[in-house]
PDB file of all heavy atoms in Angstrom:
ATOM      1  N   GLY A  12       5.176  -4.717 -23.855  1.00  0.00           N
ATOM      2  CA  GLY A  12       4.268  -3.750 -24.456  1.00  0.00           C
ATOM      3  C   GLY A  12       3.051  -3.420 -23.625  1.00  0.00           C
ATOM      4  O   GLY A  12       2.258  -2.553 -24.011  1.00  0.00           O
ATOM      5  N   GLU A  13       2.879  -4.088 -22.489  1.00  0.00           N
ATOM      6  CA  GLU A  13       1.745  -3.783 -21.610  1.00  0.00           C
ATOM      7  C   GLU A  13       2.154  -2.640 -20.683  1.00  0.00           C
ATOM      8  O   GLU A  13       3.086  -2.790 -19.894  1.00  0.00           O
ATOM      9  CB  GLU A  13       1.369  -5.021 -20.798  1.00  0.00           C
ATOM     10  CG  GLU A  13       0.230  -4.813 -19.815  1.00  0.00           C
ATOM     11  CD  GLU A  13      -1.066  -4.442 -20.509  1.00  0.00           C
ATOM     12  OE1 GLU A  13      -1.407  -5.090 -21.524  1.00  0.00           O
ATOM     13  OE2 GLU A  13      -1.730  -3.500 -20.027  1.00  0.00           O
ATOM     14  N   PRO A  14       1.468  -1.473 -20.746  1.00  0.00           N
ATOM     15  CA  PRO A  14       1.930  -0.321 -19.957  1.00  0.00           C
ATOM     16  C   PRO A  14       1.806  -0.523 -18.450  1.00  0.00           C
ATOM     17  O   PRO A  14       2.621   0.001 -17.689  1.00  0.00           O
ATOM     18  CB  PRO A  14       1.033   0.826 -20.444  1.00  0.00           C
ATOM     19  CG  PRO A  14      -0.159   0.151 -21.056  1.00  0.00           C
ATOM     20  CD  PRO A  14       0.331  -1.142 -21.619  1.00  0.00           C
ATOM     21  N   GLU A  15       0.791  -1.257 -17.996  1.00  0.00           N
ATOM     22  CA  GLU A  15       0.605  -1.524 -16.571  1.00  0.00           C
ATOM     23  C   GLU A  15       0.235  -2.993 -16.374  1.00  0.00           C
ATOM     24  O   GLU A  15      -0.937  -3.325 -16.191  1.00  0.00           O
ATOM     25  CB  GLU A  15      -0.484  -0.635 -15.973  1.00  0.00           C
ATOM     26  CG  GLU A  15      -0.087   0.810 -15.791  1.00  0.00           C
ATOM     27  CD  GLU A  15      -1.144   1.603 -15.017  1.00  0.00           C
ATOM     28  OE1 GLU A  15      -2.322   1.162 -15.000  1.00  0.00           O
ATOM     29  OE2 GLU A  15      -0.800   2.630 -14.431  1.00  0.00           O
ATOM     30  N   PRO A  16       1.229  -3.885 -16.415  1.00  0.00           N
ATOM     31  CA  PRO A  16       0.914  -5.306 -16.240  1.00  0.00           C
ATOM     32  C   PRO A  16       0.239  -5.556 -14.896  1.00  0.00           C
ATOM     33  O   PRO A  16       0.604  -4.962 -13.875  1.00  0.00           O
ATOM     34  CB  PRO A  16       2.289  -5.980 -16.294  1.00  0.00           C
ATOM     35  CG  PRO A  16       3.191  -4.988 -16.947  1.00  0.00           C
ATOM     36  CD  PRO A  16       2.667  -3.646 -16.569  1.00  0.00           C
ATOM     37  N   ARG A  17      -0.738  -6.433 -14.914  1.00  0.00           N
ATOM     38  CA  ARG A  17      -1.462  -6.804 -13.702  1.00  0.00           C
ATOM     39  C   ARG A  17      -0.890  -8.112 -13.170  1.00  0.00           C
ATOM     40  O   ARG A  17      -0.811  -9.110 -13.897  1.00  0.00           O
ATOM     41  CB  ARG A  17      -2.951  -6.960 -13.985  1.00  0.00           C
ATOM     42  CG  ARG A  17      -3.589  -5.700 -14.559  1.00  0.00           C
ATOM     43  CD  ARG A  17      -3.858  -4.681 -13.475  1.00  0.00           C
ATOM     44  NE  ARG A  17      -4.342  -3.427 -14.035  1.00  0.00           N
ATOM     45  CZ  ARG A  17      -5.120  -2.566 -13.371  1.00  0.00           C
ATOM     46  NH1 ARG A  17      -5.491  -2.831 -12.126  1.00  0.00           N
ATOM     47  NH2 ARG A  17      -5.495  -1.441 -13.928  1.00  0.00           N
ATOM     48  N   VAL A  18      -0.508  -8.095 -11.894  1.00  0.00           N
ATOM     49  CA  VAL A  18       0.177  -9.227 -11.279  1.00  0.00           C
ATOM     50  C   VAL A  18      -0.533  -9.592  -9.980  1.00  0.00           C
ATOM     51  O   VAL A  18      -0.886  -8.697  -9.193  1.00  0.00           O
ATOM     52  CB  VAL A  18       1.657  -8.881 -10.994  1.00  0.00           C
ATOM     53  CG1 VAL A  18       2.357 -10.051 -10.333  1.00  0.00           C
ATOM     54  CG2 VAL A  18       2.375  -8.486 -12.284  1.00  0.00           C
ATOM     55  N   VAL A  19      -0.723 -10.875  -9.751  1.00  0.00           N
ATOM     56  CA  VAL A  19      -1.355 -11.355  -8.517  1.00  0.00           C
ATOM     57  C   VAL A  19      -0.457 -12.408  -7.879  1.00  0.00           C
ATOM     58  O   VAL A  19      -0.033 -13.356  -8.545  1.00  0.00           O
ATOM     59  CB  VAL A  19      -2.757 -11.940  -8.783  1.00  0.00           C
ATOM     60  CG1 VAL A  19      -3.334 -12.559  -7.505  1.00  0.00           C
ATOM     61  CG2 VAL A  19      -3.706 -10.863  -9.319  1.00  0.00           C
ATOM     62  N   ASP A  20      -0.156 -12.222  -6.594  1.00  0.00           N
ATOM     63  CA  ASP A  20       0.647 -13.156  -5.812  1.00  0.00           C
ATOM     64  C   ASP A  20      -0.287 -13.939  -4.895  1.00  0.00           C
ATOM     65  O   ASP A  20      -0.872 -13.379  -3.960  1.00  0.00           O
ATOM     66  CB  ASP A  20       1.679 -12.372  -4.987  1.00  0.00           C
ATOM     67  CG  ASP A  20       2.622 -13.269  -4.192  1.00  0.00           C
ATOM     68  OD1 ASP A  20       2.381 -14.484  -4.116  1.00  0.00           O
ATOM     69  OD2 ASP A  20       3.590 -12.734  -3.620  1.00  0.00           O
ATOM     70  N   LEU A  21      -0.435 -15.234  -5.165  1.00  0.00           N
ATOM     71  CA  LEU A  21      -1.274 -16.099  -4.342  1.00  0.00           C
ATOM     72  C   LEU A  21      -0.410 -16.719  -3.253  1.00  0.00           C
ATOM     73  O   LEU A  21       0.364 -17.646  -3.500  1.00  0.00           O
ATOM     74  CB  LEU A  21      -1.917 -17.186  -5.206  1.00  0.00           C
ATOM     75  CG  LEU A  21      -2.836 -16.697  -6.332  1.00  0.00           C
ATOM     76  CD1 LEU A  21      -3.399 -17.872  -7.122  1.00  0.00           C
ATOM     77  CD2 LEU A  21      -3.973 -15.831  -5.779  1.00  0.00           C
ATOM     78  N   GLY A  22      -0.530 -16.191  -2.037  1.00  0.00           N
ATOM     79  CA  GLY A  22       0.329 -16.586  -0.931  1.00  0.00           C
ATOM     80  C   GLY A  22       1.472 -15.602  -0.798  1.00  0.00           C
ATOM     81  O   GLY A  22       2.645 -15.982  -0.827  1.00  0.00           O
ATOM     82  N   CYS A  23       1.130 -14.313  -0.627  1.00  0.00           N
ATOM     83  CA  CYS A  23       2.114 -13.231  -0.790  1.00  0.00           C
ATOM     84  C   CYS A  23       2.989 -12.981   0.420  1.00  0.00           C
ATOM     85  O   CYS A  23       3.946 -12.198   0.329  1.00  0.00           O
ATOM     86  CB  CYS A  23       1.386 -11.929  -1.154  1.00  0.00           C
ATOM     87  SG  CYS A  23       0.313 -11.283   0.167  1.00  0.00           S
ATOM     88  N   GLY A  24       2.722 -13.607   1.565  1.00  0.00           N
ATOM     89  CA  GLY A  24       3.545 -13.355   2.742  1.00  0.00           C
ATOM     90  C   GLY A  24       3.528 -11.886   3.109  1.00  0.00           C
ATOM     91  O   GLY A  24       2.469 -11.254   3.208  1.00  0.00           O
ATOM     92  N   LEU A  25       4.704 -11.301   3.287  1.00  0.00           N
ATOM     93  CA  LEU A  25       4.839  -9.894   3.639  1.00  0.00           C
ATOM     94  C   LEU A  25       4.909  -8.985   2.416  1.00  0.00           C
ATOM     95  O   LEU A  25       5.203  -7.797   2.534  1.00  0.00           O
ATOM     96  CB  LEU A  25       6.085  -9.690   4.507  1.00  0.00           C
ATOM     97  CG  LEU A  25       6.011 -10.313   5.899  1.00  0.00           C
ATOM     98  CD1 LEU A  25       7.379 -10.246   6.586  1.00  0.00           C
ATOM     99  CD2 LEU A  25       4.962  -9.641   6.761  1.00  0.00           C
ATOM    100  N   GLY A  26       4.647  -9.536   1.243  1.00  0.00           N
ATOM    101  CA  GLY A  26       4.577  -8.719   0.041  1.00  0.00           C
ATOM    102  C   GLY A  26       5.912  -8.348  -0.559  1.00  0.00           C
ATOM    103  O   GLY A  26       5.984  -7.479  -1.436  1.00  0.00           O
ATOM    104  N   ALA A  27       6.999  -9.000  -0.139  1.00  0.00           N
ATOM    105  CA  ALA A  27       8.332  -8.608  -0.595  1.00  0.00           C
ATOM    106  C   ALA A  27       8.498  -8.768  -2.099  1.00  0.00           C
ATOM    107  O   ALA A  27       9.127  -7.936  -2.756  1.00  0.00           O
ATOM    108  CB  ALA A  27       9.398  -9.409   0.148  1.00  0.00           C
ATOM    109  N   SER A  28       7.966  -9.844  -2.673  1.00  0.00           N
ATOM    110  CA  SER A  28       8.120 -10.046  -4.114  1.00  0.00           C
ATOM    111  C   SER A  28       7.354  -8.994  -4.900  1.00  0.00           C
ATOM    112  O   SER A  28       7.855  -8.452  -5.902  1.00  0.00           O
ATOM    113  CB  SER A  28       7.657 -11.450  -4.506  1.00  0.00           C
ATOM    114  OG  SER A  28       8.568 -12.427  -4.036  1.00  0.00           O
ATOM    115  N   LEU A  29       6.149  -8.683  -4.472  1.00  0.00           N
ATOM    116  CA  LEU A  29       5.383  -7.640  -5.155  1.00  0.00           C
ATOM    117  C   LEU A  29       6.089  -6.289  -5.056  1.00  0.00           C
ATOM    118  O   LEU A  29       6.112  -5.520  -6.022  1.00  0.00           O
ATOM    119  CB  LEU A  29       3.977  -7.544  -4.559  1.00  0.00           C
ATOM    120  CG  LEU A  29       3.003  -8.645  -4.972  1.00  0.00           C
ATOM    121  CD1 LEU A  29       1.733  -8.558  -4.142  1.00  0.00           C
ATOM    122  CD2 LEU A  29       2.668  -8.563  -6.461  1.00  0.00           C
ATOM    123  N   MET A  30       6.674  -5.996  -3.904  1.00  0.00           N
ATOM    124  CA  MET A  30       7.421  -4.740  -3.767  1.00  0.00           C
ATOM    125  C   MET A  30       8.605  -4.721  -4.720  1.00  0.00           C
ATOM    126  O   MET A  30       8.868  -3.703  -5.379  1.00  0.00           O
ATOM    127  CB  MET A  30       7.904  -4.553  -2.320  1.00  0.00           C
ATOM    128  CG  MET A  30       6.827  -4.091  -1.371  1.00  0.00           C
ATOM    129  SD  MET A  30       7.506  -3.519   0.208  1.00  0.00           S
ATOM    130  CE  MET A  30       8.117  -5.052   0.866  1.00  0.00           C
ATOM    131  N   TYR A  31       9.328  -5.825  -4.795  1.00  0.00           N
ATOM    132  CA  TYR A  31      10.483  -5.891  -5.689  1.00  0.00           C
ATOM    133  C   TYR A  31      10.052  -5.635  -7.131  1.00  0.00           C
ATOM    134  O   TYR A  31      10.686  -4.864  -7.856  1.00  0.00           O
ATOM    135  CB  TYR A  31      11.141  -7.259  -5.562  1.00  0.00           C
ATOM    136  CG  TYR A  31      12.407  -7.418  -6.362  1.00  0.00           C
ATOM    137  CD1 TYR A  31      13.638  -7.055  -5.827  1.00  0.00           C
ATOM    138  CD2 TYR A  31      12.383  -7.942  -7.660  1.00  0.00           C
ATOM    139  CE1 TYR A  31      14.812  -7.198  -6.557  1.00  0.00           C
ATOM    140  CE2 TYR A  31      13.551  -8.084  -8.395  1.00  0.00           C
ATOM    141  CZ  TYR A  31      14.760  -7.708  -7.837  1.00  0.00           C
ATOM    142  OH  TYR A  31      15.916  -7.848  -8.566  1.00  0.00           O
ATOM    143  N   LEU A  32       8.967  -6.273  -7.552  1.00  0.00           N
ATOM    144  CA  LEU A  32       8.477  -6.090  -8.920  1.00  0.00           C
ATOM    145  C   LEU A  32       8.047  -4.650  -9.162  1.00  0.00           C
ATOM    146  O   LEU A  32       8.366  -4.057 -10.201  1.00  0.00           O
ATOM    147  CB  LEU A  32       7.308  -7.040  -9.185  1.00  0.00           C
ATOM    148  CG  LEU A  32       7.565  -8.545  -9.059  1.00  0.00           C
ATOM    149  CD1 LEU A  32       6.282  -9.309  -9.290  1.00  0.00           C
ATOM    150  CD2 LEU A  32       8.643  -8.999 -10.018  1.00  0.00           C
ATOM    151  N   ALA A  33       7.317  -4.085  -8.204  1.00  0.00           N
ATOM    152  CA  ALA A  33       6.760  -2.745  -8.381  1.00  0.00           C
ATOM    153  C   ALA A  33       7.833  -1.668  -8.420  1.00  0.00           C
ATOM    154  O   ALA A  33       7.622  -0.603  -9.002  1.00  0.00           O
ATOM    155  CB  ALA A  33       5.757  -2.442  -7.271  1.00  0.00           C
ATOM    156  N   LEU A  34       8.976  -1.930  -7.802  1.00  0.00           N
ATOM    157  CA  LEU A  34      10.078  -0.968  -7.843  1.00  0.00           C
ATOM    158  C   LEU A  34      10.862  -1.045  -9.148  1.00  0.00           C
ATOM    159  O   LEU A  34      11.727  -0.198  -9.407  1.00  0.00           O
ATOM    160  CB  LEU A  34      11.021  -1.205  -6.654  1.00  0.00           C
ATOM    161  CG  LEU A  34      10.450  -0.820  -5.282  1.00  0.00           C
ATOM    162  CD1 LEU A  34      11.358  -1.326  -4.167  1.00  0.00           C
ATOM    163  CD2 LEU A  34      10.253   0.691  -5.171  1.00  0.00           C
ATOM    164  N   ARG A  35      10.562  -2.044  -9.970  1.00  0.00           N
ATOM    165  CA  ARG A  35      11.312  -2.235 -11.211  1.00  0.00           C
ATOM    166  C   ARG A  35      10.444  -2.254 -12.467  1.00  0.00           C
ATOM    167  O   ARG A  35      10.979  -2.271 -13.582  1.00  0.00           O
ATOM    168  CB  ARG A  35      12.111  -3.547 -11.115  1.00  0.00           C
ATOM    169  CG  ARG A  35      13.271  -3.430 -10.138  1.00  0.00           C
ATOM    170  CD  ARG A  35      13.748  -4.750  -9.615  1.00  0.00           C
ATOM    171  NE  ARG A  35      14.864  -4.530  -8.692  1.00  0.00           N
ATOM    172  CZ  ARG A  35      14.715  -4.157  -7.411  1.00  0.00           C
ATOM    173  NH1 ARG A  35      13.488  -3.983  -6.904  1.00  0.00           N
ATOM    174  NH2 ARG A  35      15.763  -3.939  -6.639  1.00  0.00           N
ATOM    175  N   ALA A  36       9.141  -2.289 -12.292  1.00  0.00           N
ATOM    176  CA  ALA A  36       8.232  -2.307 -13.440  1.00  0.00           C
ATOM    177  C   ALA A  36       6.930  -1.614 -13.036  1.00  0.00           C
ATOM    178  O   ALA A  36       6.560  -1.610 -11.853  1.00  0.00           O
ATOM    179  CB  ALA A  36       7.959  -3.748 -13.875  1.00  0.00           C
ATOM    180  N   PRO A  37       6.197  -1.035 -13.993  1.00  0.00           N
ATOM    181  CA  PRO A  37       4.965  -0.292 -13.676  1.00  0.00           C
ATOM    182  C   PRO A  37       3.766  -1.200 -13.448  1.00  0.00           C
ATOM    183  O   PRO A  37       2.688  -1.007 -14.034  1.00  0.00           O
ATOM    184  CB  PRO A  37       4.790   0.593 -14.908  1.00  0.00           C
ATOM    185  CG  PRO A  37       5.344  -0.230 -16.024  1.00  0.00           C
ATOM    186  CD  PRO A  37       6.530  -0.963 -15.435  1.00  0.00           C
ATOM    187  N   ILE A  38       3.940  -2.201 -12.598  1.00  0.00           N
ATOM    188  CA  ILE A  38       2.865  -3.173 -12.389  1.00  0.00           C
ATOM    189  C   ILE A  38       1.758  -2.602 -11.510  1.00  0.00           C
ATOM    190  O   ILE A  38       1.952  -1.641 -10.755  1.00  0.00           O
ATOM    191  CB  ILE A  38       3.390  -4.471 -11.746  1.00  0.00           C
ATOM    192  CG1 ILE A  38       3.830  -4.211 -10.288  1.00  0.00           C
ATOM    193  CG2 ILE A  38       4.515  -5.088 -12.556  1.00  0.00           C
ATOM    194  CD1 ILE A  38       3.933  -5.462  -9.442  1.00  0.00           C
ATOM    195  N   ARG A  39       0.592  -3.225 -11.606  1.00  0.00           N
ATOM    196  CA  ARG A  39      -0.472  -3.115 -10.621  1.00  0.00           C
ATOM    197  C   ARG A  39      -0.557  -4.475  -9.951  1.00  0.00           C
ATOM    198  O   ARG A  39      -0.783  -5.492 -10.626  1.00  0.00           O
ATOM    199  CB  ARG A  39      -1.800  -2.760 -11.281  1.00  0.00           C
ATOM    200  CG  ARG A  39      -1.823  -1.378 -11.908  1.00  0.00           C
ATOM    201  CD  ARG A  39      -2.083  -0.321 -10.868  1.00  0.00           C
ATOM    202  NE  ARG A  39      -2.001   1.031 -11.423  1.00  0.00           N
ATOM    203  CZ  ARG A  39      -2.237   2.122 -10.725  1.00  0.00           C
ATOM    204  NH1 ARG A  39      -2.552   2.037  -9.438  1.00  0.00           N
ATOM    205  NH2 ARG A  39      -2.137   3.308 -11.275  1.00  0.00           N
ATOM    206  N   GLY A  40      -0.324  -4.525  -8.652  1.00  0.00           N
ATOM    207  CA  GLY A  40      -0.192  -5.804  -7.982  1.00  0.00           C
ATOM    208  C   GLY A  40      -1.217  -6.033  -6.890  1.00  0.00           C
ATOM    209  O   GLY A  40      -1.646  -5.088  -6.212  1.00  0.00           O
ATOM    210  N   GLU A  41      -1.613  -7.275  -6.739  1.00  0.00           N
ATOM    211  CA  GLU A  41      -2.503  -7.718  -5.660  1.00  0.00           C
ATOM    212  C   GLU A  41      -1.892  -8.954  -5.015  1.00  0.00           C
ATOM    213  O   GLU A  41      -1.381  -9.840  -5.716  1.00  0.00           O
ATOM    214  CB  GLU A  41      -3.893  -8.084  -6.194  1.00  0.00           C
ATOM    215  CG  GLU A  41      -4.705  -6.927  -6.713  1.00  0.00           C
ATOM    216  CD  GLU A  41      -5.527  -6.255  -5.620  1.00  0.00           C
ATOM    217  OE1 GLU A  41      -5.523  -6.753  -4.472  1.00  0.00           O
ATOM    218  OE2 GLU A  41      -6.173  -5.232  -5.923  1.00  0.00           O
ATOM    219  N   GLY A  42      -1.938  -9.022  -3.695  1.00  0.00           N
ATOM    220  CA  GLY A  42      -1.449 -10.187  -2.987  1.00  0.00           C
ATOM    221  C   GLY A  42      -2.477 -10.715  -2.008  1.00  0.00           C
ATOM    222  O   GLY A  42      -3.202  -9.931  -1.386  1.00  0.00           O
ATOM    223  N   LEU A  43      -2.539 -12.025  -1.894  1.00  0.00           N
ATOM    224  CA  LEU A  43      -3.399 -12.678  -0.910  1.00  0.00           C
ATOM    225  C   LEU A  43      -2.542 -13.499   0.038  1.00  0.00           C
ATOM    226  O   LEU A  43      -1.667 -14.242  -0.398  1.00  0.00           O
ATOM    227  CB  LEU A  43      -4.405 -13.617  -1.583  1.00  0.00           C
ATOM    228  CG  LEU A  43      -5.591 -13.041  -2.346  1.00  0.00           C
ATOM    229  CD1 LEU A  43      -6.458 -14.186  -2.857  1.00  0.00           C
ATOM    230  CD2 LEU A  43      -6.415 -12.099  -1.482  1.00  0.00           C
ATOM    231  N   THR A  44      -2.792 -13.362   1.329  1.00  0.00           N
ATOM    232  CA  THR A  44      -2.161 -14.214   2.330  1.00  0.00           C
ATOM    233  C   THR A  44      -3.226 -14.675   3.311  1.00  0.00           C
ATOM    234  O   THR A  44      -4.130 -13.915   3.663  1.00  0.00           O
ATOM    235  CB  THR A  44      -1.038 -13.497   3.092  1.00  0.00           C
ATOM    236  OG1 THR A  44      -0.611 -14.347   4.188  1.00  0.00           O
ATOM    237  CG2 THR A  44      -1.466 -12.161   3.656  1.00  0.00           C
ATOM    238  N   ILE A  45      -3.116 -15.900   3.737  1.00  0.00           N
ATOM    239  CA  ILE A  45      -4.088 -16.436   4.684  1.00  0.00           C
ATOM    240  C   ILE A  45      -3.875 -15.913   6.100  1.00  0.00           C
ATOM    241  O   ILE A  45      -4.733 -16.047   6.962  1.00  0.00           O
ATOM    242  CB  ILE A  45      -4.047 -17.983   4.660  1.00  0.00           C
ATOM    243  CG1 ILE A  45      -5.367 -18.555   5.178  1.00  0.00           C
ATOM    244  CG2 ILE A  45      -2.844 -18.515   5.443  1.00  0.00           C
ATOM    245  CD1 ILE A  45      -5.534 -20.026   4.867  1.00  0.00           C
ATOM    246  N   SER A  46      -2.720 -15.274   6.312  1.00  0.00           N
ATOM    247  CA  SER A  46      -2.350 -14.803   7.646  1.00  0.00           C
ATOM    248  C   SER A  46      -2.696 -13.324   7.830  1.00  0.00           C
ATOM    249  O   SER A  46      -2.119 -12.467   7.150  1.00  0.00           O
ATOM    250  CB  SER A  46      -0.842 -14.998   7.870  1.00  0.00           C
ATOM    251  OG  SER A  46      -0.381 -14.231   8.959  1.00  0.00           O
ATOM    252  N   PRO A  47      -3.586 -12.982   8.743  1.00  0.00           N
ATOM    253  CA  PRO A  47      -3.868 -11.560   8.992  1.00  0.00           C
ATOM    254  C   PRO A  47      -2.642 -10.805   9.488  1.00  0.00           C
ATOM    255  O   PRO A  47      -2.475  -9.623   9.180  1.00  0.00           O
ATOM    256  CB  PRO A  47      -4.988 -11.582  10.034  1.00  0.00           C
ATOM    257  CG  PRO A  47      -4.961 -12.944  10.632  1.00  0.00           C
ATOM    258  CD  PRO A  47      -4.445 -13.849   9.570  1.00  0.00           C
ATOM    259  N   ARG A  48      -1.771 -11.472  10.227  1.00  0.00           N
ATOM    260  CA  ARG A  48      -0.555 -10.813  10.700  1.00  0.00           C
ATOM    261  C   ARG A  48       0.344 -10.443   9.524  1.00  0.00           C
ATOM    262  O   ARG A  48       0.920  -9.350   9.481  1.00  0.00           O
ATOM    263  CB  ARG A  48       0.189 -11.718  11.676  1.00  0.00           C
ATOM    264  CG  ARG A  48       1.423 -11.069  12.299  1.00  0.00           C
ATOM    265  CD  ARG A  48       1.897 -11.849  13.494  1.00  0.00           C
ATOM    266  NE  ARG A  48       0.907 -11.847  14.562  1.00  0.00           N
ATOM    267  CZ  ARG A  48       1.058 -12.485  15.721  1.00  0.00           C
ATOM    268  NH1 ARG A  48       2.167 -13.167  15.960  1.00  0.00           N
ATOM    269  NH2 ARG A  48       0.115 -12.446  16.628  1.00  0.00           N
ATOM    270  N   GLN A  49       0.457 -11.336   8.550  1.00  0.00           N
ATOM    271  CA  GLN A  49       1.251 -11.017   7.363  1.00  0.00           C
ATOM    272  C   GLN A  49       0.593  -9.902   6.549  1.00  0.00           C
ATOM    273  O   GLN A  49       1.281  -9.016   6.031  1.00  0.00           O
ATOM    274  CB  GLN A  49       1.431 -12.257   6.494  1.00  0.00           C
ATOM    275  CG  GLN A  49       2.406 -13.264   7.063  1.00  0.00           C
ATOM    276  CD  GLN A  49       2.713 -14.393   6.089  1.00  0.00           C
ATOM    277  OE1 GLN A  49       1.928 -14.698   5.196  1.00  0.00           O
ATOM    278  NE2 GLN A  49       3.867 -15.020   6.269  1.00  0.00           N
ATOM    279  N   ALA A  50      -0.714  -9.931   6.433  1.00  0.00           N
ATOM    280  CA  ALA A  50      -1.413  -8.891   5.670  1.00  0.00           C
ATOM    281  C   ALA A  50      -1.176  -7.516   6.286  1.00  0.00           C
ATOM    282  O   ALA A  50      -0.927  -6.530   5.572  1.00  0.00           O
ATOM    283  CB  ALA A  50      -2.904  -9.199   5.600  1.00  0.00           C
ATOM    284  N   GLU A  51      -1.239  -7.441   7.602  1.00  0.00           N
ATOM    285  CA  GLU A  51      -0.976  -6.164   8.285  1.00  0.00           C
ATOM    286  C   GLU A  51       0.459  -5.716   8.054  1.00  0.00           C
ATOM    287  O   GLU A  51       0.730  -4.537   7.781  1.00  0.00           O
ATOM    288  CB  GLU A  51      -1.247  -6.314   9.782  1.00  0.00           C
ATOM    289  CG  GLU A  51      -2.714  -6.534  10.121  1.00  0.00           C
ATOM    290  CD  GLU A  51      -2.907  -6.954  11.568  1.00  0.00           C
ATOM    291  OE1 GLU A  51      -1.895  -7.021  12.308  1.00  0.00           O
ATOM    292  OE2 GLU A  51      -4.053  -7.245  11.946  1.00  0.00           O
TER     293      GLU A  51
END
């Protein structure tokens, strides 16, 4: 029943999980990674 669920990935790597979720649900997602190379 939440129209735009808010999701946070702590240790998101290359963001693959957030992408998978966003392609299947109307989420708003945030990811944190300690690696600048992964963030880029």
Side-chain angles (χ1 to χ4, degrees):
E13 178 62 45
E15 287 188 338
R17 302 282 174 153
V18 179
V19 174
D20 183 350
L21 299 179
C23 66
L25 292 171
S28 289
L29 284 171
M30 282 193 292
Y31 184 88
L32 300 177
L34 290 170
R35 289 158 180 80
I38 69 161
R39 294 279 175 177
E41 292 272 355
L43 287 183
T44 172
I45 203 166
S46 163
R48 184 165 296 179
Q49 286 188 336
E51 293 168 3

